[in-house]
Amino acid sequence: MTQYHLLQTENAKPIKMWTEGVPVDQGAKEQLSKTAQLPFIFKHIAVMPDVHVGKGSTIGSVIPTMGAIIPAAVGVDIGCGMIAVQTSLMATDLPDNLLPLRTEIEKAVPHGISPKNHKQDNGSWHNPPTLIDQYWQQLLPGFQKLIDKYPHLENTNNYRHLGTLGTGNHFIEICLDEANRVWIMLHSGSRGVGNAIGRFFIEMARKDMEVHIKNLPDRDLAYLEEGTEHFQDYVDAVHWAQEFARLNREAMMTNVILAMRKIITKPFTTHMSAINCHHNYVQKEHHFGEEIFVTRKGAVSARKGELGIIPGSMGAKSYIVRGLGNEESFCSCSHGAGRVMSRTEAKKKFTIADQIKATAHVECRKDANVIDEIPMAYKDIDAVMTAQNELVEIVHQLRQVVCVKG
């Protein structure tokens, strides 16, 4: 007996929703229905339990396409995702006072953003260290190829954003699993340069479709057709941005481990291979006997045996999972808990006192600027996990003890 609900609208491909027991707002359903009307959708759209309204396309959706890609469905945080590493440390090896550890991590990884009138952005490197140079060398040939064709992309935050966290729901956490083993987990993407690439090609798709855009169910669903110059340029650019995002997380993880070694005197190893997975991306995959493009907008690949990361909200549980290879979901699972209210709503509804109470067990910021990330602004992560138990199995359950926010 399958778990998904079927949403079918006129002149549209089916929408299969793994949302049993979790709220789905009407706006998300309407947005999904518009995407499903596009002529190049392959078979059906798969919807994850963390689904909510997004820009252009719905967050928590898996959009399979043949012969076209929708840049706004991939979004502007191209390659955003997670990395997690299990260490040999136990909870008893952590200091009683975790503030110095959080402070050292905050010093090791640029995070946040400074107002435009500041001379230096605290979210960028002022003088990138040697480690960042080494990672940038891996990205430089592809970047050179990109700016040879689109020179304006050189004037973006690229090199100085490599190995930096960003803002919003991006975070670095020290967590404990069910056996009190210490894990390091973080969430970020392709930063300023990925944002610039995403915005540029979203606009390019709209321009390419000027004659036809009025016939689209939503102008944000403007697409690039396979075989056109801009399509291939976008595929190349988006793959580069996804590689930037992957290396960005690796570089941060390296610096977080170095920061921990300054505070924790006991020698430790990171003996489990790091899980490094995107959840905002597009790539070519084989499904139902066809080579197609799969866009995961707030969704994680969950092929059989593949490890993934599903974080809860700030102060809630997170999960390390193993994919079950469910083809009906295009081998995918959720990328998190999913919001139930906007950032603006959360700031209106909750107070600093609410934030302090909700994150009492976590060493983290508890000021007005992070109220929009309060756990109550998100869906119940346990309900989300139950709704997708035919997509993934739980390997580890994690709880945060330190959280660094941008």
Side-chain angles (χ1 to χ4, degrees), residues 269-290:
T269 58
T270 52
H271 56 267
M272 181 179 179
S273 296
I275 308 159
N276 194 345
C277 55
H278 300 316
H279 55 224
N280 279 355
Y281 70 114
V282 61
Q283 67 182 15
K284 194 168 267 191
E285 296 182 7
H286 191 84
H287 295 278
F288 299 101
E290 297 283 358

Side-chain angles (χ1 to χ4, degrees), residues 123-289:
S124 299
W125 292 107
H126 302 171
N127 297 296
T130 303
L131 174 73
I132 300 305
D133 288 337
Q134 291 168 352
Y135 276 106
W136 181 245
Q137 289 307 310
Q138 297 178 54
L139 291 163
L140 195 52
F143 189 59
Q144 191 59 55
K145 183 180 173 186
L146 186 60
I147 62 175
D148 283 347
K149 190 144 197 183
Y150 299 107
H152 73 279
L153 291 173
E154 187 172 14
N155 189 30
T156 57
N157 272 316
N158 42 76
Y159 166 57
R160 290 185 181 276
H161 266 188
L162 185 58
T164 71
L165 187 63
T167 59
N169 61 354
H170 293 167
F171 61 78
I172 302 167
E173 289 180 345
I174 308 301
C175 304
L176 303 177
D177 69 11
E178 65 286 341
N180 277 330
R181 292 171 295 221
V182 176
W183 289 66
I184 311 164
M185 183 168 75
L186 63 87
H187 172 211
S188 192
S190 54
R191 305 291 285 112
V193 66
N195 185 290
I197 288 168
R199 290 182 188 281
F200 174 67
F201 281 99
I202 288 169
E203 198 53 47
M204 192 69 72
R206 286 180 185 149
K207 284 181 179 172
D208 285 0
M209 293 197 71
E210 272 174 355
V211 178
H212 308 287
I213 204 160
K214 62 180 180 294
N215 299 320
L216 286 174
D218 185 326
R219 71 190 298 268
D220 281 327
L221 294 175
Y223 54 88
L224 297 168
E225 286 191 275
E226 196 163 7
T228 63
E229 177 189 4
H230 292 147
F231 178 91
Q232 193 54 53
D233 286 351
Y234 178 66
V235 168
D236 292 344
V238 88
H239 284 175
W240 181 86
Q242 287 164 193
E243 184 64 2
F244 181 106
R246 185 182 69 82
L247 293 177
N248 181 42
R249 292 190 288 271
E250 274 190 21
M252 279 189 283
M253 180 61 75
T254 299
N255 279 332
V256 171
I257 292 167
L258 291 172
M260 288 179 68
R261 293 194 199 281
K262 290 182 180 179
I263 301 297
I264 300 167
T265 53
K266 180 178 178 177
F268 67 91
T269 58
T270 52
H271 56 267
M272 181 179 179
S273 296
I275 308 159
N276 194 345
C277 55
H278 300 316
H279 55 224
N280 279 355
Y281 70 114
V282 61
Q283 67 182 15
K284 194 168 267 191
E285 296 182 7
H286 191 84
H287 295 278
F288 299 101

Side-chain angles (χ1 to χ4, degrees), residues 321-363:
V321 297
R322 184 182 292 114
L324 297 176
N326 189 316
E327 266 296 332
E328 291 298 312
S329 72
F330 296 95
C331 300
S332 307
C333 66
S334 85
H335 82 310
R339 297 191 74 92
V340 288
M341 66 181 71
S342 71
R343 295 183 182 280
T344 303
E345 285 178 275
K347 284 183 174 179
K348 285 179 181 175
K349 185 168 184 179
F350 299 109
T351 64
I352 293 174
D354 294 326
Q355 174 75 352
I356 291 169
K357 185 178 179 182
T359 61
H361 59 294
V362 184
E363 172 53 57

